[in-house]
Each structure stands twice: as C-alpha cells, then as structure tokens.
Amino acid sequence: MADQHKNDTTHFGYEDVRTEDKVNRVADVFHSVAGKYDLMNDLMSGGVHRLWKRITIEQSGVRTGNTILDIAGGTGDLTMRFSRLVGPSGKVVLADINDSMLKVGRDKLLDKGVTGNVEFVQANAECLPFPDNTFDVITIAFGLRNVTDKDAALRSMARVLKPGGKLMVLEFSKTDNPLLTKAYDFYSFNILPQMGSMIAGDADSYRYLAESIRMHPDQETLKSMMQDAGLTNCKFQNMTGGIVALHTGIKP
C-alpha cells in the first residue's frame, strides 16, 4: 500500500510531481523568496494585498481574549493585527510549514514590538498539532493553494476550531470577466516572473506561484470543499473582480 502511495502524483503548478515530493518543492520556493516576500507582495499587487487583508480582519469578528490561528502566516501581516485585537488576555498562533518564512515573520514582529501574546509554530496544515476545539478564528491567507491535500487541511482546521468558530480562507481565485482574465494572465506569466527575477533573483518560483493560482479550485468548488469538511454557513466574497476571494465557514 505504501509503495502504491509513492506512485501517486499531484500538481506543482502545471507540472505533475510525486505527491511525496510536493512539500519539499513548495518549501524550496518559499525558502528562496522569504527574504523579499513582503516587498514582492507590495510590488505584485500594487499594495492591494493590504486591503484584502484588512477586509479579512474587519470581517473576522475577533475580540479581546480570543484565541486565533493564522495558518501559513508567513511574515505575520495578519498576526500583527490580530495580536492588537485580542490583547494581553488573548493569544495568536502564527503557524507556517516553512521555517524560513517563520523566521522572517518572527523577526519582523519582534522588530515591531509584537510579543507576549504571539506563539510561533512550524506546522503542516494537513495535520495541525493542536487539540480539538482550540481556536475562535482560523485564517489562512494565500496558503491553501500550496497545500497538497486541501481536503485534509480543511478537515484539520475544522477539527481545531471551537464550536461556533470561524474559518477564513483568503486566496487567489477565478474571475469570470474575459478582459480581466486576459490582462491578468498576461501579467502573471510575463511580468511577474521578470519581477521575481529582478527583485528576488528567482523567476521560477514566481512562475510556480502564477501556475498554482490557476490550479486552485474556483469559488464554488472551494465552498463545497469547506461544506464537506463539516463547516456550515459557507460563503465567499469576491474582491478585485474575483482575482481574490474570501471564503468563510462556521463550525457547528
């Protein structure tokens, strides 16, 4: 059975790779880009990623004393805001599978004086190392598309949510505007790798990121996957013409 699983394949962007190899391939991407991640996010989105994240924060309903899990939290943009909202009586766990991203995030938050109520955990979203019913809110921003088994990850997130807790998935998605799609494709596959090469010294990683967006489930599919994971009241909100969508679901 184990040998059979080794022959399973999945997609790494547009490339088919062995399932067991994808985690390492994705890790290599983020080891490569970690140091320039924040700068590239600002350049790639024209700063709009800050608006997408602000909307996520505003709709989270996070209050003083809450316990928050920020999965694929990377360089800590959401964690920093959540830390202020939950206050000294709350806690925010910044989790990322990639130790390079986690180190950049930890250093950035320490530099900004964000300490005390933040914990850093290296963790795989598919098998989160937390007890059942732990968190009031879980966010995963621009991370789900890099997860090999998305269904397993969603089930894992649902497991560690408290009853009544909210999962929020902020991710690149699909636009149904043909003109916008054409412009976005040109930008993603022509401009983006060049920017990656000039700024981060790595065109291939940004080419993978563009491809991974195209391979990610569309809005309705992801909504169904969240429902299948046991969440209720699942819905999504398109932003920037559907280039990004914010999915939410509640643990019954």
Side-chain angles (χ1 to χ4, degrees), residues 76-143:
D77 283 350
L78 291 179
T79 292
M80 184 161 53
R81 292 167 176 81
F82 282 138
S83 172
R84 295 177 185 136
L85 288 173
V86 303
S89 61
K91 184 170 81 167
V92 185
V93 177
L94 191 164
D96 203 295
I97 195 172
N98 188 279
D99 59 339
S100 295
M101 293 292 288
L102 209 55
K103 183 179 185 304
V104 171
R106 185 189 297 114
D107 290 348
K108 183 169 95 173
L109 294 182
L110 287 173
D111 286 347
K112 292 182 179 293
V114 179
T115 57
N117 63 357
V118 176
E119 183 182 338
F120 300 90
V121 176
Q122 188 170 357
N124 185 335
E126 296 174 24
C127 46
L128 292 166
F130 307 108
D132 296 358
N133 310 320
T134 298
F135 298 99
D136 296 289
V137 174
I138 296 175
T139 56
I140 178 166
F142 307 112

Side-chain angles (χ1 to χ4, degrees), residues 148-205:
T148 303
D149 189 339
K150 296 174 179 60
D151 290 306
L154 291 169
R155 289 193 300 270
S156 186
M157 294 176 214
R159 178 184 65 77
V160 302
L161 266 178
K162 293 178 182 178
K166 180 187 289 187
L167 172 63
M168 310 185 78
V169 181
L170 180 65
E171 188 54 271
F172 291 106
S173 201
K174 306 290 191 290
T175 172
D176 59 5
N177 180 317
L179 285 177
L180 183 56
T181 299
K182 189 173 181 181
Y184 184 43
D185 283 348
F186 178 83
Y187 171 78
S188 297
F189 293 104
N190 294 278
I191 311 284
L192 189 55
Q194 290 182 24
M195 288 171 59
S197 177
M198 287 188 294
I199 305 299
D202 186 350
D204 289 344
S205 289

Side-chain angles (χ1 to χ4, degrees), residues 12-26:
F12 176 78
Y14 289 162
E15 181 184 352
D16 285 333
V17 298
R18 292 190 307 172
T19 300
E20 61 187 22
D21 292 339
K22 180 170 179 176
V23 170
N24 290 332
R25 295 285 296 274
V26 172

